[in-house]
Amino acid sequence: MLQTVRYLIGSVGASGFGSKSTAEEVTEASGDLKSITAIITGATSGIGAETARVLAKRGARLVLPARTLKAAEDTKARIVSEFPDSEIVVMALDLSSLSSVTTFVSDFESLNLPLNLLINNAGKFSHDYAISEDGIEMTFATNYLGHFLLTKLLLRKMMETAKETGIRGRIVNVSSSIHSWFSGDGLRYLQLITNKRSHYDATRAYALSKLANVLHIKELAHRLKKMEANVSAYCVHPGIVRTRLTRDREGIVTGERAAATTCYVATHPRVTGVSGKYYADCNEAAPSKLGSNADEARRLWISSEAMIAQRFKTRHSVTAHAAEFSRIYRSFYCS
């Protein structure tokens, strides 16, 4: 109740920002971001589009991957019309497809660009039951597993960039307070809804995927610390906003504000060096009890690696796709 009241009145926290702060306001202290290259998933609408617009305003080079290239090109055109000097690259990516993720990473690496910032923003709420081409429930595949693989495969590039430039890399997962709605054994529920339609509940499946985003960052931060990587990882609840995710439900239109927390952890000097934390309204917050469980985070990570490795073994002959499979294997077991 207290958190709701604070949200509605817009009271600021320790960061000096609150629920009424905008993405432009929270990035003022970040200065010129011309030295930053950022990948932002889900940047064709809503929170992702505003995040892209504000980072472009601050000078960052953007890579906008999207399943629908026209939508990404439209986003690019809108940003360039406002900020003509923007450098924006549009690329194809379907996060529900593990093969599409590996292809995107290969194509991105061929551009020989640095990578300072990865914002895993794309999200899907599947009212209807669906299974991905890799045999995974679609909401989980899109919101979490695709981002898990994307982050894994881009991590070496981020570490190399941080070492070469001295600029600490940042990885941001956009989750939701709805992650706290899930209770129970997440992996068991995933298996149930993957194998049997009758167990599917759209809201619970979405909550599970958002919980997975939180647990991903917790374990990722732990592993980055062990590797002594100059890269931080953050998870955010962006606030209430009407996007394509929520167009069938009641919501509050707060585009500039909803992107504020993402932009805050992505750019603000105050959180440099902080890692593994959860943020809401531009301030550190507490995730659910399950989202704070280090054992669950580790269990999910190990299971995610196994799921992906098994899918590649099943869907492709190792002979025909030796390079692709080798890439996955090295990424999983050599970092």
Side-chain angles (χ1 to χ4, degrees):
M1 180 65 181
L2 180 59
Q3 184 177 357
T4 302
V5 171
R6 286 177 176 169
Y7 175 83
L8 292 174
I9 66 176
S11 60
V12 300
S15 69
F17 303 109
S19 64
K20 292 189 176 180
S21 300
T22 68
E24 290 196 14
E25 290 170 347
V26 303
T27 56
E28 285 177 358
S30 305
D32 192 334
L33 298 180
K34 287 184 179 177
S35 60
I36 300 298
T37 297
I39 293 176
I40 309 171
T41 69
T44 58
S45 64
I47 298 165
E50 177 64 6
T51 299
R53 188 191 73 82
V54 172
L55 292 185
K57 177 178 181 176
R58 302 301 179 201
R61 176 197 288 126
L62 304 181
V63 177
L64 306 183
R67 186 178 59 178
T68 306
L69 289 178
K70 184 182 184 305
E73 290 289 358
D74 289 345
T75 299
K76 175 181 177 178
R78 287 194 299 270
I79 294 173
V80 171
S81 69
E82 187 174 0
F83 311 112
D85 294 332
S86 299
E87 185 178 349
I88 302 174
V89 180
V90 168
M91 300 180 69
L93 172 62
D94 178 355
L95 281 161
S96 72
S97 164
L98 300 177
S99 290
S100 179
V101 174
T102 60
T103 298
F104 166 79
V105 173
S106 179
D107 290 345
F108 172 74
E109 290 182 340
S110 71
L111 299 176
N112 293 316
L113 294 174
L115 181 58
N116 310 91
L117 176 60
L118 172 61
I119 300 180
N120 293 320
N121 167 82
K124 179 183 182 68
F125 187 102
S126 295
H127 292 279
D128 299 321
Y129 178 80
I131 297 294
S132 75
E133 66 179 41
D134 300 293
I136 303 291
E137 188 278 317
M138 187 63 79
T139 302
F140 190 87
T142 304
N143 295 359
Y144 167 69
L145 198 62
H147 280 128
F148 175 85
L149 179 58
L150 180 68
T151 303
K152 260 285 196 180
L153 296 180
L154 289 172
L155 191 54
R156 286 191 182 277
K157 170 60 74 174
M158 294 196 73
M159 292 170 63
E160 290 170 1
T161 300
K163 185 175 182 180
E164 291 168 2
T165 64
I167 301 172
R168 190 169 182 86
R170 303 190 190 196
I171 298 168
V172 182
N173 274 7
V174 178
S175 181
S176 167
S177 61
I178 293 173
H179 82 271
S180 65
W181 296 8
F182 187 89
S183 60
D185 189 325
L187 290 171
R188 176 170 170 73
Y189 180 65
L190 175 64
Q191 185 177 34
L192 283 173
I193 60 177
T194 295
N195 294 330
K196 201 167 184 180
R197 180 190 297 262
S198 61
H199 289 282
Y200 181 73
D201 177 272
T203 301
R204 195 170 188 220
Y206 182 74
L208 172 60
S209 72
K210 296 288 101 178
L211 173 63
N213 292 149
V214 176
L215 293 172
H216 177 208
I217 287 299
K218 187 170 187 65
E219 179 64 12
L220 176 60
H222 171 70
R223 290 174 181 247
L224 289 169
K225 184 177 180 180
K226 285 183 66 176
M227 291 188 290
E228 298 183 344
N230 190 21
V231 179
S232 290
Y234 313 86
C235 194
V236 305
H237 163 63
I240 304 170
V241 61
R242 186 186 297 277
T243 66
R244 289 176 185 171
L245 277 177
T246 59
R247 65 180 181 268
D248 297 329
R249 299 175 174 226
E250 290 302 313
I252 301 173
V253 181
T254 58
E256 298 87 352
R257 296 174 187 172
T261 306
T262 300
C263 289
Y264 174 72
V265 300
T267 68
H268 204 281
R270 187 185 183 96
V271 297
T272 302
V274 178
S275 191
K277 302 297 184 180
Y278 177 81
Y279 289 81
D281 299 331
C282 302
N283 286 275
E284 188 178 331
S288 69
K289 183 177 180 180
L290 191 54
S292 302
N293 190 312
D295 291 335
E296 282 300 307
R298 189 177 308 111
R299 177 174 173 244
L300 175 64
W301 185 287
I302 293 169
S303 297
S304 300
E305 290 183 334
M307 273 187 269
I308 292 170
Q310 182 59 43
R311 265 63 188 184
F312 273 94
K313 284 180 181 177
T314 302
R315 294 186 67 243
H316 309 301
S317 73
V318 176
T319 302
H321 296 269
E324 182 179 45
F325 185 80
S326 177
R327 174 188 185 77
I328 300 294
Y329 184 91
R330 288 197 309 273
S331 174
F332 281 171
Y333 302 110
C334 300
S335 64

Short mmCIF file of all heavy atoms in Angstrom, two decimals, residues 210-246:
data_model
loop_
_atom_site.label_atom_id
_atom_site.label_comp_id
_atom_site.label_asym_id
_atom_site.label_seq_id
_atom_site.Cartn_x
_atom_site.Cartn_y
_atom_site.Cartn_z
N LYS A 210 8.72 -13.17 -16.07
CA LYS A 210 9.27 -11.97 -15.43
C LYS A 210 10.09 -12.33 -14.19
O LYS A 210 11.09 -11.67 -13.88
CB LYS A 210 8.14 -11.01 -15.08
CG LYS A 210 7.39 -10.45 -16.28
CD LYS A 210 8.21 -9.45 -17.06
CE LYS A 210 8.85 -9.98 -18.31
NZ LYS A 210 9.61 -8.97 -19.08
N LEU A 211 9.68 -13.38 -13.46
CA LEU A 211 10.49 -13.89 -12.35
C LEU A 211 11.83 -14.41 -12.87
O LEU A 211 12.88 -14.17 -12.27
CB LEU A 211 9.74 -15.00 -11.63
CG LEU A 211 10.53 -15.76 -10.55
CD1 LEU A 211 10.94 -14.83 -9.41
CD2 LEU A 211 9.72 -16.94 -10.02
N ALA A 212 11.78 -15.10 -14.00
CA ALA A 212 13.01 -15.61 -14.61
C ALA A 212 13.96 -14.48 -14.97
O ALA A 212 15.18 -14.60 -14.82
CB ALA A 212 12.68 -16.44 -15.84
N ASN A 213 13.42 -13.34 -15.44
CA ASN A 213 14.27 -12.17 -15.73
C ASN A 213 14.99 -11.69 -14.48
O ASN A 213 16.17 -11.30 -14.53
CB ASN A 213 13.42 -11.02 -16.27
CG ASN A 213 12.84 -11.27 -17.64
OD1 ASN A 213 11.76 -10.76 -17.96
ND2 ASN A 213 13.52 -12.03 -18.48
N VAL A 214 14.30 -11.70 -13.35
CA VAL A 214 14.89 -11.26 -12.08
C VAL A 214 15.99 -12.24 -11.64
O VAL A 214 17.10 -11.83 -11.27
CB VAL A 214 13.82 -11.14 -10.98
CG1 VAL A 214 14.45 -10.79 -9.64
CG2 VAL A 214 12.77 -10.10 -11.36
N LEU A 215 15.68 -13.52 -11.68
CA LEU A 215 16.65 -14.54 -11.26
C LEU A 215 17.86 -14.57 -12.19
O LEU A 215 19.00 -14.81 -11.74
CB LEU A 215 15.97 -15.91 -11.23
CG LEU A 215 14.90 -16.09 -10.16
CD1 LEU A 215 14.16 -17.42 -10.36
CD2 LEU A 215 15.50 -16.01 -8.76
N HIS A 216 17.64 -14.31 -13.47
CA HIS A 216 18.73 -14.26 -14.44
C HIS A 216 19.77 -13.23 -14.02
O HIS A 216 20.98 -13.49 -14.00
CB HIS A 216 18.15 -13.92 -15.82
CG HIS A 216 19.17 -13.75 -16.89
ND1 HIS A 216 18.96 -12.94 -17.99
CD2 HIS A 216 20.41 -14.26 -17.06
CE1 HIS A 216 20.01 -12.98 -18.78
NE2 HIS A 216 20.92 -13.76 -18.23
N ILE A 217 19.31 -12.03 -13.67
CA ILE A 217 20.25 -10.97 -13.30
C ILE A 217 20.97 -11.30 -12.01
O ILE A 217 22.17 -11.00 -11.87
CB ILE A 217 19.49 -9.62 -13.18
CG1 ILE A 217 19.10 -9.11 -14.57
CG2 ILE A 217 20.33 -8.57 -12.44
CD1 ILE A 217 20.27 -8.83 -15.51
N LYS A 218 20.29 -11.92 -11.07
CA LYS A 218 20.93 -12.27 -9.80
C LYS A 218 22.10 -13.23 -10.01
O LYS A 218 23.20 -13.01 -9.50
CB LYS A 218 19.90 -12.92 -8.85
CG LYS A 218 20.45 -13.16 -7.44
CD LYS A 218 19.35 -13.56 -6.49
CE LYS A 218 19.88 -13.63 -5.06
NZ LYS A 218 20.31 -12.30 -4.56
N GLU A 219 21.89 -14.27 -10.80
CA GLU A 219 22.97 -15.22 -11.05
C GLU A 219 24.02 -14.65 -11.99
O GLU A 219 25.22 -14.91 -11.84
CB GLU A 219 22.38 -16.52 -11.63
CG GLU A 219 23.41 -17.59 -11.95
CD GLU A 219 24.17 -18.15 -10.75
OE1 GLU A 219 23.76 -17.87 -9.60
OE2 GLU A 219 25.18 -18.86 -10.97
N LEU A 220 23.59 -13.85 -12.98
CA LEU A 220 24.54 -13.23 -13.89
C LEU A 220 25.50 -12.33 -13.13
O LEU A 220 26.72 -12.36 -13.38
CB LEU A 220 23.79 -12.42 -14.95
CG LEU A 220 24.64 -11.61 -15.94
CD1 LEU A 220 25.57 -12.51 -16.73
CD2 LEU A 220 23.74 -10.80 -16.88
N ALA A 221 24.99 -11.53 -12.22
CA ALA A 221 25.85 -10.64 -11.43
C ALA A 221 26.87 -11.44 -10.62
O ALA A 221 28.04 -11.05 -10.51
CB ALA A 221 25.00 -9.77 -10.51
N HIS A 222 26.42 -12.56 -10.08
CA HIS A 222 27.32 -13.44 -9.32
C HIS A 222 28.44 -13.96 -10.20
O HIS A 222 29.62 -13.95 -9.82
CB HIS A 222 26.51 -14.60 -8.73
CG HIS A 222 27.33 -15.67 -8.11
ND1 HIS A 222 28.02 -15.49 -6.92
CD2 HIS A 222 27.60 -16.94 -8.52
CE1 HIS A 222 28.65 -16.61 -6.61
NE2 HIS A 222 28.42 -17.50 -7.56
N ARG A 223 28.12 -14.39 -11.40
CA ARG A 223 29.13 -14.94 -12.31
C ARG A 223 30.05 -13.85 -12.85
O ARG A 223 31.26 -14.08 -13.02
CB ARG A 223 28.43 -15.68 -13.46
CG ARG A 223 27.77 -16.95 -12.99
CD ARG A 223 26.94 -17.66 -14.05
NE ARG A 223 26.34 -18.85 -13.52
CZ ARG A 223 26.64 -20.10 -13.89
NH1 ARG A 223 27.55 -20.30 -14.85
NH2 ARG A 223 26.05 -21.13 -13.34
N LEU A 224 29.51 -12.67 -13.11
CA LEU A 224 30.36 -11.55 -13.56
C LEU A 224 31.39 -11.19 -12.50
O LEU A 224 32.54 -10.88 -12.81
CB LEU A 224 29.49 -10.34 -13.90
CG LEU A 224 28.61 -10.44 -15.15
CD1 LEU A 224 27.62 -9.28 -15.20
CD2 LEU A 224 29.48 -10.46 -16.41
N LYS A 225 30.97 -11.21 -11.26
CA LYS A 225 31.89 -10.91 -10.16
C LYS A 225 33.00 -11.94 -10.07
O LYS A 225 34.18 -11.61 -9.89
CB LYS A 225 31.12 -10.84 -8.85
CG LYS A 225 31.98 -10.43 -7.65
CD LYS A 225 31.14 -10.31 -6.38
CE LYS A 225 32.01 -9.89 -5.20
NZ LYS A 225 31.21 -9.77 -3.95
N LYS A 226 32.64 -13.22 -10.22
CA LYS A 226 33.64 -14.29 -10.17
C LYS A 226 34.64 -14.15 -11.31
O LYS A 226 35.82 -14.46 -11.16
CB LYS A 226 32.95 -15.65 -10.24
CG LYS A 226 32.28 -16.08 -8.95
CD LYS A 226 31.67 -17.46 -9.06
CE LYS A 226 32.75 -18.52 -9.25
NZ LYS A 226 32.19 -19.89 -9.26
N MET A 227 34.18 -13.70 -12.48
CA MET A 227 35.05 -13.52 -13.64
C MET A 227 35.83 -12.21 -13.59
O MET A 227 36.66 -11.95 -14.45
CB MET A 227 34.23 -13.57 -14.94
CG MET A 227 33.66 -14.92 -15.25
SD MET A 227 32.89 -14.96 -16.91
CE MET A 227 31.45 -13.94 -16.65
N GLU A 228 35.53 -11.37 -12.57
CA GLU A 228 36.14 -10.05 -12.45
C GLU A 228 35.91 -9.23 -13.72
O GLU A 228 36.78 -8.49 -14.18
CB GLU A 228 37.64 -10.15 -12.14
CG GLU A 228 37.92 -10.85 -10.81
CD GLU A 228 39.41 -10.88 -10.47
OE1 GLU A 228 40.24 -10.64 -11.37
OE2 GLU A 228 39.72 -11.15 -9.30
N ALA A 229 34.71 -9.38 -14.27
CA ALA A 229 34.34 -8.65 -15.49
C ALA A 229 33.94 -7.22 -15.13
O ALA A 229 33.28 -6.97 -14.12
CB ALA A 229 33.18 -9.35 -16.18
N ASN A 230 34.32 -6.29 -15.98
CA ASN A 230 33.97 -4.89 -15.78
C ASN A 230 32.60 -4.62 -16.40
O ASN A 230 32.43 -3.76 -17.26
CB ASN A 230 35.05 -4.00 -16.40
CG ASN A 230 34.89 -2.53 -16.02
OD1 ASN A 230 34.25 -2.21 -15.01
ND2 ASN A 230 35.44 -1.65 -16.82
N VAL A 231 31.63 -5.41 -15.95
CA VAL A 231 30.26 -5.34 -16.47
C VAL A 231 29.30 -5.50 -15.30
O VAL A 231 29.50 -6.37 -14.44
CB VAL A 231 29.98 -6.46 -17.50
CG1 VAL A 231 28.54 -6.40 -18.00
CG2 VAL A 231 30.96 -6.37 -18.67
N SER A 232 28.27 -4.66 -15.24
CA SER A 232 27.25 -4.75 -14.20
C SER A 232 25.93 -5.23 -14.80
O SER A 232 25.68 -5.08 -16.00
CB SER A 232 27.02 -3.38 -13.55
OG SER A 232 28.13 -2.99 -12.77
N ALA A 233 25.09 -5.81 -13.94
CA ALA A 233 23.79 -6.32 -14.38
C ALA A 233 22.70 -5.79 -13.46
O ALA A 233 22.87 -5.76 -12.23
CB ALA A 233 23.79 -7.85 -14.37
N TYR A 234 21.59 -5.36 -14.05
CA TYR A 234 20.49 -4.76 -13.30
C TYR A 234 19.16 -5.31 -13.79
O TYR A 234 19.03 -5.72 -14.94
CB TYR A 234 20.45 -3.24 -13.50
CG TYR A 234 21.77 -2.53 -13.36
CD1 TYR A 234 22.63 -2.42 -14.46
CD2 TYR A 234 22.15 -1.95 -12.16
CE1 TYR A 234 23.85 -1.76 -14.35
CE2 TYR A 234 23.36 -1.27 -12.04
CZ TYR A 234 24.21 -1.17 -13.14
OH TYR A 234 25.40 -0.52 -13.03
N CYS A 235 18.17 -5.27 -12.91
CA CYS A 235 16.81 -5.64 -13.29
C CYS A 235 15.88 -4.52 -12.87
O CYS A 235 16.08 -3.91 -11.79
CB CYS A 235 16.41 -6.95 -12.61
SG CYS A 235 14.94 -7.70 -13.32
N VAL A 236 14.88 -4.21 -13.69
CA VAL A 236 14.00 -3.09 -13.38
C VAL A 236 12.53 -3.46 -13.54
O VAL A 236 12.16 -4.27 -14.39
CB VAL A 236 14.30 -1.85 -14.25
CG1 VAL A 236 15.76 -1.44 -14.13
CG2 VAL A 236 13.93 -2.08 -15.71
N HIS A 237 11.72 -2.82 -12.69
CA HIS A 237 10.27 -2.75 -12.90
C HIS A 237 10.02 -1.38 -13.50
O HIS A 237 10.31 -0.36 -12.85
CB HIS A 237 9.52 -2.90 -11.58
CG HIS A 237 8.10 -2.45 -11.65
ND1 HIS A 237 7.17 -3.05 -12.46
CD2 HIS A 237 7.44 -1.43 -11.03
CE1 HIS A 237 6.00 -2.43 -12.33
NE2 HIS A 237 6.14 -1.43 -11.46
N PRO A 238 9.50 -1.29 -14.72
CA PRO A 238 9.43 0.01 -15.40
C PRO A 238 8.27 0.89 -15.00
O PRO A 238 8.23 2.06 -15.40
CB PRO A 238 9.31 -0.40 -16.87
CG PRO A 238 8.56 -1.69 -16.81
CD PRO A 238 9.05 -2.39 -15.57
N GLY A 239 7.31 0.38 -14.26
CA GLY A 239 6.15 1.20 -13.95
C GLY A 239 4.97 0.75 -14.78
O GLY A 239 5.03 -0.22 -15.52
N ILE A 240 3.88 1.49 -14.67
CA ILE A 240 2.64 1.12 -15.35
C ILE A 240 2.54 1.90 -16.65
O ILE A 240 2.58 3.12 -16.66
CB ILE A 240 1.41 1.42 -14.47
CG1 ILE A 240 1.56 0.71 -13.12
CG2 ILE A 240 0.13 0.98 -15.16
CD1 ILE A 240 0.53 1.14 -12.11
N VAL A 241 2.41 1.21 -17.74
CA VAL A 241 2.35 1.89 -19.03
C VAL A 241 1.49 1.08 -19.98
O VAL A 241 1.50 -0.14 -19.97
CB VAL A 241 3.76 2.09 -19.62
CG1 VAL A 241 4.45 0.77 -19.85
CG2 VAL A 241 3.72 2.89 -20.92
N ARG A 242 0.74 1.77 -20.82
CA ARG A 242 -0.05 1.07 -21.84
C ARG A 242 0.82 0.86 -23.07
O ARG A 242 1.24 1.81 -23.72
CB ARG A 242 -1.30 1.86 -22.23
CG ARG A 242 -2.21 1.07 -23.18
CD ARG A 242 -3.36 1.92 -23.67
NE ARG A 242 -4.23 2.32 -22.60
CZ ARG A 242 -5.20 1.57 -22.10
NH1 ARG A 242 -5.40 0.36 -22.57
NH2 ARG A 242 -5.96 2.02 -21.14
N THR A 243 1.14 -0.40 -23.36
CA THR A 243 1.92 -0.74 -24.55
C THR A 243 1.15 -1.82 -25.28
O THR A 243 0.02 -2.15 -24.94
CB THR A 243 3.31 -1.28 -24.15
OG1 THR A 243 3.13 -2.54 -23.47
CG2 THR A 243 4.04 -0.32 -23.24
N ARG A 244 1.79 -2.44 -26.27
CA ARG A 244 1.13 -3.55 -26.96
C ARG A 244 0.89 -4.71 -26.00
O ARG A 244 0.00 -5.52 -26.20
CB ARG A 244 2.02 -4.02 -28.13
CG ARG A 244 2.06 -3.02 -29.27
CD ARG A 244 3.01 -3.45 -30.35
NE ARG A 244 3.14 -2.44 -31.38
CZ ARG A 244 4.03 -2.49 -32.35
NH1 ARG A 244 4.88 -3.49 -32.42
NH2 ARG A 244 4.08 -1.53 -33.25
N LEU A 245 1.70 -4.80 -24.94
CA LEU A 245 1.49 -5.84 -23.94
C LEU A 245 0.17 -5.67 -23.22
O LEU A 245 -0.51 -6.62 -22.88
CB LEU A 245 2.61 -5.80 -22.88
CG LEU A 245 3.93 -6.48 -23.19
CD1 LEU A 245 4.88 -6.22 -22.04
CD2 LEU A 245 3.75 -7.96 -23.40
N THR A 246 -0.21 -4.41 -22.94
CA THR A 246 -1.33 -4.14 -22.06
C THR A 246 -2.51 -3.48 -22.76
O THR A 246 -3.40 -2.95 -22.11
CB THR A 246 -0.88 -3.21 -20.91
OG1 THR A 246 -0.38 -2.00 -21.48
CG2 THR A 246 0.20 -3.85 -20.07
#
